[in-house]
Amino acid sequence: MIFIYLQVTIKNMVDMFVMADMYKASELKLATKKLIVQNSKELMKQKDWKQKFGSSNHLVFEILESVIVRDDN
């Protein structure tokens, strides 16, 4: 599992987040969600970031919730 963590980058963080959700890889999902929240401005620079979520709208809400909680602290 450590190998997959080494493959996560800002460019593929959404893909890895969606994949982690699909395969129920909770630790990878948490790590990629944290990376997305910490690099949300970089995410917004990616033209296709919305399409990467596909039909997984629940994941967008998870990210939004994490951003709001982070901003409250």
Side-chain angles (χ1 to χ4, degrees), residues 1 5 8 13 16-21 24-38 59 62-63 66:
M1 187 65 150
Y5 285 105
V8 178
M13 61 189 175
M16 298 294 265
F17 180 61
V18 172
M19 183 183 70
D21 181 66
K24 310 291 187 237
S26 58
E27 291 179 27
L28 179 60
K29 185 177 175 185
L30 184 61
T32 52
K33 180 168 55 171
K34 185 176 179 179
L35 186 64
I36 292 168
V37 169
Q38 291 172 344
L59 296 177
E62 276 190 49
I63 298 296
S66 294

Side-chain angles (χ1 to χ4, degrees):
M1 187 65 150
I2 291 174
F3 174 74
I4 196 83
Y5 285 105
L6 298 175
Q7 301 303 310
V8 178
T9 65
I10 290 176
K11 289 195 181 264
N12 72 10
M13 61 189 175
V14 173
D15 296 320
M16 298 294 265
F17 180 61
V18 172
M19 183 183 70
D21 181 66
M22 185 183 327
Y23 290 104
K24 310 291 187 237
S26 58
E27 291 179 27
L28 179 60
K29 185 177 175 185
L30 184 61
T32 52
K33 180 168 55 171
K34 185 176 179 179
L35 186 64
I36 292 168
V37 169
Q38 291 172 344
N39 295 282
S40 56
K41 290 185 196 264
E42 290 300 317
L43 174 66
M44 299 300 291
K45 292 177 185 177
Q46 296 179 15
K47 294 177 184 176
D48 61 344
W49 73 269
K50 293 176 187 174
Q51 290 77 29
K52 290 181 178 184
F53 282 100
S55 62
S56 302
N57 293 333
H58 67 284
L59 296 177
V60 176
F61 292 116
E62 276 190 49
I63 298 296
L64 177 61
E65 184 178 273
S66 294
V67 169
I68 291 168
V69 168
R70 181 191 71 171
D71 288 346
D72 284 347
N73 293 328

